Amino acid sequence: MSQHTISVRLPDDSRAELPAGSTAADLARSIGPGLARAAIAARVDGELRDLDRPLGEGDRVEIVTRADDDPDALYALRHSAAHVLATAVRELHPDAGIGFGPPIEEGFYYDFDVPVPFTPEDLERIEAKMAEVVEADYPFERREVDRKEAEELFGDDPLKLERLAEIPADETISAYRDGPFVDLCRGPHVPTTGEVRHFKLLNAAGAYWRGDERRQMLQRIYGTAFYSEAALDAHLVRLEEARRRDHRRLGQELDLFSIQEDIGPGLICWHPRGARVQLELRRWIEALLDKRGYDFVYTPHVSSEALFDRSGHLQAYAENMYPSMRGEGEKEAYRVKPMNCPAHTLIYAARQRSYRDLPLRLSEIANVYRFERSGTLHGLLRVRMLTMDDGHIFCTPEQVEDEIFTALDLVDEVMNTLGLEYRLDLATRPEKRIGEAAVWDHAEASLRQALDRLGVAYGLDEGGGAFYGPKIDIKFRDAIGREWQGATIQLDFNLPDRFDLEYIGPDNQPHRPVMIHRAIFGTLERFTGVLIEHFAGAFPVWLAPEQIRVLPITDGHAEGAREIVRRLRSAGLRAELDARSDTLSYRIRDGEVMKVPYLLVVGDRELEAGTVAVRAHGAERKQVTLAVEDFMAAAQEKVRRKALNPAL
């Protein structure tokens, strides 16, 4: 190979020879003009880079083109859109401090230090200025700078100087310019601001600098961007639908839960209707676990701090735990528990175990407490008191695969019952972890082997495991296509070792059990919040807090309606009487707003014939007349089958 040329590898393993110093843009042009016009970035040895960065000998290069279904393409576009936003804000507010401006899953944001919060009118002006920046078609120009030059470049912006001070001495410092704006940034970006044509600013909100409530409050502007107008429009429709389904709004409208300032943020008060949903979910999962041979246990909410030191939580998880408590004159410090697993290991260790006792499956639906930063709290989705459907399985190494299959079978039943599509990810060792590398190698290999034997497709989440072991994460999609983190199945060789857990094997010698952590709902708070949004508050009959509402047409029909309610309740159905003096149409409308699955209208004709006029939720004005016994049997069958649709 000449010193004046380089050879790079293409995705099909062929090679391309280019002049030394060539860029990915040069490579795209050498392949064809169509690719050159469509190119916006490149993957070089798996790393996303700007098109105009020089390539090296032997690099594996894949050209990234405009595509709304390519995460890398969207990443580059949205990162660039964030810079276009910052450019516009600096044009309109020259003294604005510049914080972080990353792309996120469905868009981008940028944090600004400004004296007055942004208003909707401000966003309109910023959006218009962004359009000017796009029209100017400024190139994104990358420049590597030394630390002194960077300090001079960002000397008037303390937020950037703070970030600069954190960059390790051996790390390259780069800055990007688009027109009048320069930012401290790793990149990559699309070639010019002209690529950012289809964007929308969504809202502004306060955000603490670095997510720390002790730091200054910045103003965060959220937006999104796509390569096509059609994709942007479709996304905005989904966002509007998501707002309609927001569990915080529906939780208030349907009287399900509240978060009381006098109690504290992130702490949920379940009202009777929401508590009923919780109760039905608990009963369901406990019945499923009972069939699968679980034993139920209860453990204290507060434990000795020494327990969490032994388990490794204090070393790896202390920032998410509440501080220690020590009573006057007490030597021992205590913590409210963030996890149930240390206590469950002690239940296992409470007596000698034989291989004949295994697998031992322990389950506890319990509250645990985690100190989530106030800026991260979000309705039911991020809370400080969590109700976990926690399970821990202690088994022999030979039983691991079968136990994982059993747990995945349980996941499948729950997801299918609720009409949720899902996929699996294998999450491997995180940077912050306990245990030896060899133990992690064995644990990860065991999970891979189980998934491969099961024969299902799965993704790989490098570094996404728990601090004590790798895991299988279940990601599911809701009714409008959003993906959520659901169940998790974690394999743990470390806690049994830390707690010296043993069983006596068939050779009459002590052996170390394997521990499997699993939660099917994850937390009942988060899972309920997701279900509220998935069903838009219209729960299936079996899960609905109020299954049936009986509406007498006049006061004269109230007594007969009350008798129907009594019969329904005797049959195990959750029925309520609405005999208010309001008009029938108003009461029907109220029942629809409260998303009651069945409204039963009762008048002279129905009482004489022993029937009810039934309106199923979602059937609009359509109603059917059924004998009370027939309706009762049909509703019971819907509950028994856990049917998703209330239609009779």
Side-chain angles (χ1 to χ4, degrees):
M1 184 67 59
S2 164
Q3 62 178 342
H4 301 298
T5 62
I6 59 170
S7 176
V8 298
R9 293 176 297 156
L10 303 180
D12 63 358
D13 286 329
S14 64
R15 286 187 172 268
E17 192 170 317
L18 299 166
S22 292
T23 65
D26 295 326
L27 173 62
R29 280 190 289 271
S30 74
I31 295 172
L35 182 61
R37 286 192 297 271
I40 51 91
R43 280 184 282 266
V44 181
D45 293 332
E47 178 189 353
L48 191 63
R49 288 190 186 177
D50 307 300
L51 278 176
D52 61 0
R53 290 186 63 180
L55 300 175
E57 173 64 30
D59 284 347
R60 186 180 187 87
V61 186
E62 180 181 0
I63 302 299
V64 177
T65 59
R66 298 180 192 89
D68 289 316
D69 58 356
D70 183 336
D72 279 348
L74 285 177
Y75 182 97
L77 179 73
R78 290 167 176 172
H79 194 178
S80 304
H83 279 235
V84 170
L85 166 60
T87 306
V89 170
R90 267 286 175 87
E91 287 283 287
L92 295 169
H93 303 272
D95 295 328
I98 303 293
F100 291 135
I104 53 178
E105 185 176 356
E106 293 194 331
F108 60 89
Y109 70 77
Y110 220 116
D111 290 338
F112 302 99
D113 190 1
V114 290
V116 179
F118 293 116
T119 66
E121 293 74 23
D122 289 328
L123 295 191
E124 290 180 11
R125 285 191 288 272
I126 293 168
E127 211 171 53
K129 181 60 70 172
M130 287 176 69
E132 294 178 15
V133 175
V134 170
E135 192 62 32
D137 200 24
Y138 298 125
F140 282 101
E141 299 171 321
R142 180 180 185 272
R143 183 160 63 100
E144 294 184 5
V145 295
D146 61 29
R147 192 169 298 273
K148 182 179 179 182
E149 187 179 0
E151 289 171 349
E152 292 173 354
L153 196 58
F154 301 104
D156 63 345
D157 198 329
L159 301 182
K160 288 298 178 187
L161 291 176
E162 181 178 332
R163 176 68 188 96
L164 181 63
E166 297 171 349
I167 298 177
D170 59 349
E171 186 174 317
T172 299
I173 300 172
S174 58
Y176 279 80
R177 174 183 292 277
D178 63 287
F181 180 65
V182 181
D183 199 6
L184 181 70
C185 179
R186 291 177 178 174
H189 290 284
V190 295
T192 73
T193 61
E195 291 284 351
V196 190
R197 294 200 169 273
H198 306 294
F199 66 89
K200 179 68 178 175
L201 296 186
L202 302 173
N203 63 284
Y208 290 110
W209 172 234
R210 315 303 290 271
D212 187 343
E213 60 266 30
R214 295 167 297 185
R215 304 295 300 276
Q216 69 264 46
M217 176 70 77
L218 305 181
Q219 293 302 306
R220 176 172 295 177
I221 297 179
Y222 288 95
T224 193
F226 289 86
Y227 286 99
S228 69
E229 186 175 4
L232 175 62
D233 290 344
H235 181 73
L236 295 178
V237 169
R238 285 194 300 272
L239 288 180
E240 185 56 40
E241 179 63 14
R243 279 190 284 270
R244 187 180 74 82
R245 292 169 178 261
D246 190 312
H247 74 280
R248 294 166 297 179
R249 180 178 65 81
L250 288 172
Q252 183 176 7
E253 291 178 1
L254 302 178
D255 195 22
L256 300 174
F257 69 92
S258 62
I259 301 171
Q260 303 286 345
E261 186 177 334
D262 288 345
I263 295 175
L267 303 170
I268 307 301
C269 290
W270 291 100
H271 298 194
R273 296 173 71 86
R276 170 56 68 174
V277 176
Q278 286 260 304
L279 180 61
E280 295 304 318
L281 288 172
R282 285 171 180 254
R283 286 174 171 173
W284 180 37
I285 198 67
E286 286 178 340
L288 293 175
L289 294 173
D290 209 17
K291 289 180 185 176
R292 288 165 170 81
Y294 279 79
D295 293 310
F296 297 94
V297 298
Y298 299 105
T299 59
H301 289 236
V302 178
S303 299
S304 162
E305 187 172 74
L307 177 67
F308 299 115
D309 184 41
R310 186 178 181 186
S311 70
H313 284 87
L314 281 182
Q315 298 96 304
Y317 206 72
E319 67 271 16
N320 296 106
M321 297 174 65
Y322 279 94
S324 61
M325 303 175 289
R326 195 189 305 269
E328 187 176 350
E330 292 281 336
K331 293 182 179 179
E332 187 69 64
Y334 289 83
R335 297 259 188 164
V336 292
K337 63 178 178 180
M339 308 279 191
N340 297 303
C341 39
H344 289 191
T345 62
L346 294 183
I347 290 176
Y348 177 93
R351 66 179 181 84
Q352 190 176 73
R353 306 286 178 177
S354 161
Y355 72 96
R356 294 186 177 90
D357 300 324
L358 304 184
L360 176 66
R361 306 181 186 100
L362 301 181
S363 176
E364 179 177 13
I365 296 182
N367 296 127
V368 297
Y369 304 85
R370 298 179 185 174
F371 180 63
E372 301 286 356
R373 299 291 181 186
S374 60
T376 68
L377 299 175
H378 182 76
L380 297 176
L381 304 183
R382 196 74 176 263
V383 296
R384 286 176 168 169
M385 187 191 81
L386 305 82
T387 309
M388 297 189 69
D389 66 313
D390 220 352
H392 295 98
I393 302 163
F394 301 87
C395 61
T396 70
E398 296 77 20
Q399 294 168 333
V400 166
E401 282 194 26
D402 285 341
E403 290 305 310
I404 290 173
F405 294 159
T406 299
L408 288 173
D409 178 69
L410 179 56
V411 168
D412 190 66
E413 182 168 351
V414 168
M415 295 292 113
N416 286 335
T417 299
L418 294 168
L420 297 167
E421 296 180 0
Y422 69 94
R423 65 178 181 84
L424 308 179
D425 275 350
L426 172 59
T428 59
R429 69 196 75 186
E431 186 174 333
K432 193 172 184 180
R433 59 183 182 270
I434 60 175
E436 300 297 323
V439 173
W440 279 88
D441 290 341
H442 182 44
E444 289 173 1
S446 296
L447 285 183
R448 279 193 178 92
Q449 184 175 324
L451 287 169
D452 290 340
R453 182 180 152 199
L454 192 62
V456 296
Y458 61 91
L460 190 62
D461 180 9
E462 294 280 5
F467 72 86
Y468 47 77
K471 58 180 178 170
I472 298 171
D473 282 333
I474 287 78
K475 310 284 179 66
F476 63 90
R477 290 192 177 277
D478 67 11
I480 59 174
R482 296 170 299 180
E483 189 167 81
W484 302 87
Q485 170 65 56
T488 183
I489 301 166
Q490 303 170 358
L491 195 55
D492 184 359
F493 290 84
N494 284 302
L495 283 186
D497 197 48
R498 282 176 169 261
F499 283 87
D500 296 320
L501 302 185
E502 293 181 344
Y503 66 91
I504 303 302
D507 59 358
N508 212 32
Q509 296 298 311
H511 297 269
R512 191 77 77 207
V514 180
M515 188 174 180
I516 299 174
H517 308 243
R518 68 104 202 97
I520 305 304
F521 293 150
T523 72
L524 281 165
E525 287 78 14
R526 180 178 174 81
F527 198 71
T528 302
V530 172
L531 289 183
I532 292 170
E533 299 198 2
H534 174 62
F535 293 118
F539 293 107
V541 181
W542 69 274
L543 197 51
E546 181 184 357
Q547 295 171 327
I548 304 160
R549 187 176 291 188
V550 182
L551 310 174
I553 293 177
T554 69
D555 290 346
H557 306 120
E559 192 56 41
R562 188 171 288 108
E563 175 59 20
I564 292 172
V565 169
R566 186 196 64 77
R567 291 171 63 187
L568 293 169
R569 289 180 175 176
S570 296
L573 296 166
R574 295 188 288 279
E576 300 291 339
L577 176 69
D578 185 357
R580 291 176 294 174
S581 58
D582 300 292
T583 65
L584 178 63
S585 61
Y586 176 87
R587 287 179 286 144
I588 288 174
R589 175 61 183 156
D590 184 65
E592 290 171 345
V593 168
M594 295 301 289
K595 303 182 189 296
V596 180
Y598 298 116
L599 302 179
L600 308 187
V601 178
V602 178
D604 289 335
R605 183 169 50 191
E606 287 78 20
L607 291 177
E608 289 171 8
T611 61
V612 285
V614 185
R615 288 172 175 254
H617 185 76
E620 297 181 354
R621 295 180 178 276
K622 182 181 177 182
Q623 66 181 35
V624 296
T625 299
L626 293 174
V628 174
E629 292 295 332
D630 291 342
F631 167 75
M632 195 181 305
Q636 288 174 314
E637 180 63 10
K638 289 283 186 182
V639 172
R640 186 191 67 78
R641 291 193 296 108
K642 292 185 167 52
L644 293 173
N645 192 329
L648 297 172

